[in-house]
Amino acid sequence: MPARDGARNMSSEKPDFKLGVRLATIPEGRGLLGTVGEEEVLLVRRGAQLFAVGARCTHYHGPLAEGLVIGDEVRCPWHHACFSLRTGEALRAPAFDPVPCWRVEQAGEKVFVKEKLQPAGSDPLSQSTPPSSIVIIGGGAAGLAAADMLRRKGYSGGVTMLSADSAPPCDRPNLSKDFLAGTAPDDWIPLRPPDWYSQHKINLVLNSRAVALDTKQKKITTEDGKTYDYGALLLATGADPVKLPLEGASPSQTFYLRSFADSKAIIAKAASAKRVVVVGASFIGLEVAASLRARSIDVQVVAPEKFPMEKILGPQVGAFIRHLHESHGVVFYLGETVKLVDGNKVTLTGGQTIQAEFIVLGVGVRPALALAEQAGLKMDRGILVDEYLQTSAPGVFAAGDTARWPDPRTGEPVRVEHWVVAERQGQTAAKNMLGAREKFAGVPFFWSQHYDIAINYVGHAEKWDSIHVDGDIEKKDCAVTYKRDGRTLAVVTIFRDLESLSVESEMERQVRNP
Ligand SMILES: Cc1cc2nc3c(=O)[nH]c(=O)nc-3n(C[C@H](O)[C@H](O)[C@H](O)COP(=O)(O)OP(=O)(O)OC[C@H]3O[C@@H](n4cnc5c(N)ncnc54)[C@H](O)[C@@H]3O)c2cc1C
Ligand code: FES
């Protein structure tokens, strides 16, 4: 799995925990990094309790020693996965697999890490009448996370995952980052190995688009005429790229990016091209720009806004992102759109003509709502769900890019398009299908990667009336706070991972104790 550039290196002078360390050297709340044999171990002190767990996150190997300890959990600094210090369980996505745990022994003032413990597994959810079978529509972030959680929680009924994709659930964020840049091989992309589905008795049906849903008969019909009955259902159909017709452009020169196949098609085209026009200066467009620069393609970004990503991050961060990309050779045409394409000539609305063999469009996505609309579910620019992620139809849940849920911090219904949110909603929906009645109170979080810079975003701010910058954006050391009526709605950080985790934790605390 890829390591994130720019992460601080951990000290090479790591204590050997088998030989013991002094109790006083283990800092409360952060933990001490050391080794047991060949393995890196994090030793954590919580008052009188001591825990030893694997020091690398099972998502992308983030350094847990640089993360945040909250209660008996440790959170990863990179993408905020959360692990139990007691059992090692990955309690929150984007990690699914546990970290190992070791037995700890204290002798006077010295602490020793002893043998590795057997994985404890997750506490099963016991329900008197679990659903007879569960169908998940969508083989993406939310769908896979739900399937994983159903089995983790001991659900033994049938689980079917219907996916319109031709590929099993994949690490979608990577498709515009390392994979597109050529630094992640194909086999990093599937979220689970091929035999995982059969091992967990998950009936994954690919190339299978659901076209009709009857919530009274509890029946789904797919494009090929097959029908599936369900006891409980999760709608996790995600989103589709917005298609922008470009006058004169041929299908063989225009590309969108959502699926593994899309990313491979761009890579294949880039192999014989020198120049690209990227239409759109938001996350996907600019990640594509960065990745294609890594392939030495001349990148020209055309977008109507004044600053890249201005709508979501404001002008200050937008200006920084522009400079960052320009320093890597990207040329921007802002305040413009494409007027006409004629072969390799791309004419802009301002009249200028630029050259490109191909065009990648990243102009936003639209939630995939056709099925929910056909089924007559309550909608509001997304599928409306309650705090348990249940739709207006009993036994039917929705998660991910399609779901609009009540944000407990503001009371407003929100819908976001973030990987971690989709996965965490999938996990909560799965538990609720088994009767857990868990409210989805997760604080939205996303990250975006541009060259060696990761931008982390916590919270949700569609509109703000002030932006406060702490630190220096250009020096890549900052926390940017977006406020409305004096209230912090969201915080962007660059190389302040711990602060990002602290903000998330504080926002969660506000939900618990408003
Ligand atoms: C290239 C790229 C990079 C991204 N990078 C980031 C990032 O860095 N950070 C971040 O937070 N977010 C990122 N995102 C956004 C993130 O991937 C999405 O928010 C997330 O995938 C949403 O999960 P989901 O389960 O709702 O939908 P998806 O992951 O899109 O999965 C939806 C699934 O449903 C299937 N489907 C749709 N309709 C039907 C139907 N009728 N029947 C059967 N199956 C159906 C689709 O084929 C697909 O398998 C990125 C997205 C893309 C495309
Ligand atoms: S590396 Fe830990 S959450 Fe991604």
Side-chain angles (χ1 to χ4, degrees):
M1 279 293 165
R4 196 171 93 177
D5 288 333
R8 287 149 287 182
N9 278 331
M10 287 188 272
S11 160
S12 52
E13 307 255 315
K14 294 178 210 126
D16 181 344
F17 288 149
K18 270 190 171 168
L19 302 177
V21 283
R22 281 182 41 243
L23 182 67
T25 60
I26 310 170
E28 181 88 34
R30 278 298 290 282
L32 182 68
L33 181 66
T35 57
V36 174
E38 293 293 296
E39 292 183 84
E40 280 187 330
V41 173
L42 180 67
L43 186 54
V44 178
R45 183 157 66 109
R46 289 281 311 153
Q49 291 180 307
L50 290 158
F51 305 100
V53 298
R56 288 283 163 179
C57 173
T58 56
H59 178 229
Y60 277 15
H61 304 306
L64 296 181
E66 296 176 20
L68 189 65
V69 173
I70 300 173
D72 55 2
E73 297 168 7
V74 59
R75 296 187 181 182
C76 176
W78 286 1
H79 317 110
H80 296 199
C82 173
F83 297 90
S84 164
L85 290 169
R86 292 180 189 282
T87 64
E89 184 181 1
L91 298 171
R92 292 187 192 184
F96 294 129
D97 296 320
V99 287
C101 296
W102 283 260
R103 190 171 68 80
V104 185
E105 216 172 77
Q106 189 180 344
E109 275 307 296
K110 265 198 130 178
V111 175
F112 299 87
V113 177
K114 305 300 243 186
E115 73 280 2
K116 205 184 248 187
L117 300 170
Q118 286 296 322
S122 186
D123 288 339
L125 268 172
S126 50
Q127 195 193 14
S128 49
T129 49
S132 51
S133 64
I134 293 178
V135 174
I136 297 167
I137 304 183
L144 191 275
D148 176 85
M149 188 55 81
L150 287 171
R151 290 306 187 219
R152 237 201 272 178
K153 288 290 168 194
Y155 179 65
S156 57
V159 176
T160 297
M161 188 188 287
L162 303 174
S163 176
D165 277 353
S166 55
C170 72
D171 185 355
R172 218 175 286 291
N174 213 317
L175 300 178
S176 52
K177 303 180 182 70
D178 299 274
F179 183 69
L180 189 60
T183 52
D186 282 35
D187 60 3
W188 282 0
I189 299 305
L191 285 178
R192 289 299 196 190
D195 56 0
W196 182 85
Y197 298 92
S198 54
Q199 277 168 9
H200 290 78
K201 296 195 169 54
I202 289 160
N203 178 25
L204 173 64
V205 193
L206 297 175
N207 298 306
S208 187
R209 181 174 291 279
V211 289
L213 165 62
D214 183 335
T215 58
K216 290 212 170 62
Q217 299 296 320
K218 297 194 162 191
K219 200 178 275 298
I220 299 145
T221 308
T222 51
E223 220 164 22
D224 54 8
K226 290 197 179 122
T227 57
Y228 297 83
D229 296 325
Y230 64 84
L233 172 68
L234 177 66
L235 289 170
T237 48
D240 298 314
V242 171
K243 298 281 161 90
L244 191 71
L246 295 180
E247 197 185 330
S250 71
S252 65
Q253 69 182 147
T254 45
F255 294 81
Y256 292 89
L257 178 51
R258 185 77 191 176
S259 65
F260 198 6
D262 294 340
S263 190
K264 286 184 191 165
I266 295 173
I267 291 168
K269 185 72 185 180
S272 61
K274 286 200 176 74
R275 296 151 303 184
V276 66
V277 163
V278 173
V279 179
S282 203
F283 293 100
I284 292 191
L286 289 182
E287 288 187 353
V288 167
S291 295
L292 291 180
R293 286 300 300 134
R295 290 180 179 270
S296 301
I297 303 282
D298 288 346
V299 178
Q300 305 150 97
V301 174
V302 177
E305 52 267 56
K306 221 163 127 201
F307 296 100
M309 299 189 190
E310 185 180 6
K311 221 173 123 195
I312 299 168
L313 302 180
Q316 298 93 329
V317 179
F320 162 73
I321 287 169
R322 177 179 181 159
H323 297 153
L324 175 67
H325 281 269
E326 283 175 340
S327 71
H328 285 83
V330 172
V331 178
F332 283 92
Y333 297 88
L334 297 175
E336 301 248 28
T337 53
V338 172
K339 187 176 168 199
L340 185 71
V341 181
D342 178 10
N344 288 353
K345 280 197 294 185
V346 179
T347 306
L348 308 184
T349 38
Q352 201 165 353
T353 295
I354 53 180
Q355 300 283 329
E357 290 85 36
F358 70 116
I359 301 167
V360 180
L361 293 106
V363 291
V365 295
R366 235 176 241 125
L369 303 176
L371 191 65
E373 282 166 350
Q374 171 276 321
L377 300 181
K378 264 197 194 152
M379 310 291 287
D380 172 17
R381 295 157 296 148
I383 306 172
L384 265 188
V385 292
D386 64 14
E387 61 266 57
Y388 305 104
L389 305 179
Q390 182 159 284
T391 69
S392 54
V396 180
F397 293 76
D401 285 4
T402 59
R404 189 173 288 278
W405 84 99
D407 180 357
R409 294 181 56 237
T410 59
E412 291 167 14
V414 288
R415 190 187 68 76
V416 301
E417 290 145 9
H418 306 344
W419 181 253
V420 167
V421 173
E423 290 187 325
R424 291 181 183 173
Q425 288 187 340
Q427 294 180 321
T428 296
K431 290 185 221 165
N432 289 340
M433 285 194 272
L434 302 181
R437 298 291 286 169
E438 177 180 295
K439 288 185 181 173
F440 181 75
V443 171
F445 164 77
F446 75 79
W447 80 99
S448 185
Q449 184 83 27
H450 305 256
Y451 312 98
D452 57 348
I453 306 294
I455 297 170
N456 280 5
Y457 182 105
V458 173
H460 182 69
E462 277 172 31
K463 285 189 203 123
W464 56 81
D465 52 31
S466 72
I467 296 178
H468 172 74
V469 179
D470 179 53
D472 191 326
I473 304 179
E474 289 295 333
K475 286 192 176 145
K476 301 163 192 164
D477 170 21
C478 62
V480 183
T481 303
Y482 302 79
K483 292 189 177 194
R484 195 169 67 213
D485 300 329
R487 181 156 185 230
T488 297
L489 299 178
V491 176
V492 161
T493 53
I494 298 173
F495 287 122
R496 290 200 184 178
D497 292 342
L498 202 54
E499 191 167 343
S500 178
L501 282 169
S502 301
V503 170
E504 182 186 58
S505 154
E506 173 57 21
M507 287 183 176
E508 285 168 6
R509 197 194 57 73
Q510 286 166 5
V511 171
R512 288 193 303 270
N513 313 301

